[in-house]
């Protein structure tokens, strides 16, 4: 199943219709072929952010997220390396004690 991408304007129009009572959520979902969960997520974001909802993340936010991802990847790599060293150490200690 291919993911559909809806414009910001479409999302705002749909949630405004529900918020104003113009249409019921089930009616909107039927008319536009939306899942209840999708409409619920849009409504929640609209309630939290109002007219600023569905805006594309700014380039500053994207750079910050990319930096955080790089940082976490580095930590993950360090942990994997430490795990490997510990496994080798335990294995060598076991072989010294006559265990395999």
């Amino acid at each position: 199943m291919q993911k559909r991408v809806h414009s910001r304007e479409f999302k705002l129009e749909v949630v405004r219709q529900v918020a104003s009572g113009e249409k019921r959520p089930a009616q909107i979902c039927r008319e536009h072929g939306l899942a209840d969960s999708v409409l619920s997520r849009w409504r929640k974001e609209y309630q939290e952010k109002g007219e600023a909802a569905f805006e594309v993340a700014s380039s500053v936010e994207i750079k910050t997220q990319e930096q955080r991802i790089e940082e976490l990847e580095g930590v993950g790599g360090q942990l994997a390396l430490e795990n490997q060293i510990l496994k080798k150490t335990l294995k060598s200690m076991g072989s010294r004690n006559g265990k395999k």
Side-chain angles (χ1 to χ4, degrees):
M1 189 165 161
Q2 190 175 8
K3 184 176 178 177
R4 295 186 301 172
V5 178
H6 300 282
S7 69
R8 178 179 184 272
E9 292 75 23
F10 174 79
K11 293 175 186 179
L12 285 172
E13 178 186 333
V14 165
V15 293
R16 284 179 190 142
Q17 288 175 347
V18 174
S20 69
E22 183 181 333
K23 293 185 179 179
R24 300 186 61 83
Q27 182 181 1
I28 294 282
C29 290
R30 274 193 313 273
E31 287 178 3
H32 299 289
L34 298 172
D36 293 337
S37 60
V38 171
L39 182 58
S40 294
R41 191 173 61 243
W42 291 355
R43 290 175 69 193
K44 182 180 178 189
E45 185 173 346
Y46 184 73
Q47 287 174 344
E48 291 172 358
K49 299 180 182 177
E51 293 298 313
F54 318 118
E55 299 242 346
V56 178
S58 70
S59 61
V60 172
E61 289 175 357
I62 291 171
K63 286 180 183 178
T64 302
Q65 290 172 351
E66 288 174 352
Q67 288 172 341
R68 182 70 177 143
I69 290 169
E70 286 178 21
E71 179 183 315
L72 291 172
E73 286 175 343
V75 169
Q78 181 66 33
L79 290 172
L81 181 63
E82 290 174 7
N83 195 14
Q84 231 176 5
I85 292 168
L86 288 170
K87 283 181 180 180
K88 286 180 182 179
T89 303
L90 284 173
K91 190 174 182 180
S92 69
M93 287 178 66
S95 64
R96 283 190 220 156
N97 295 335
K99 298 178 183 176
K100 288 188 180 183

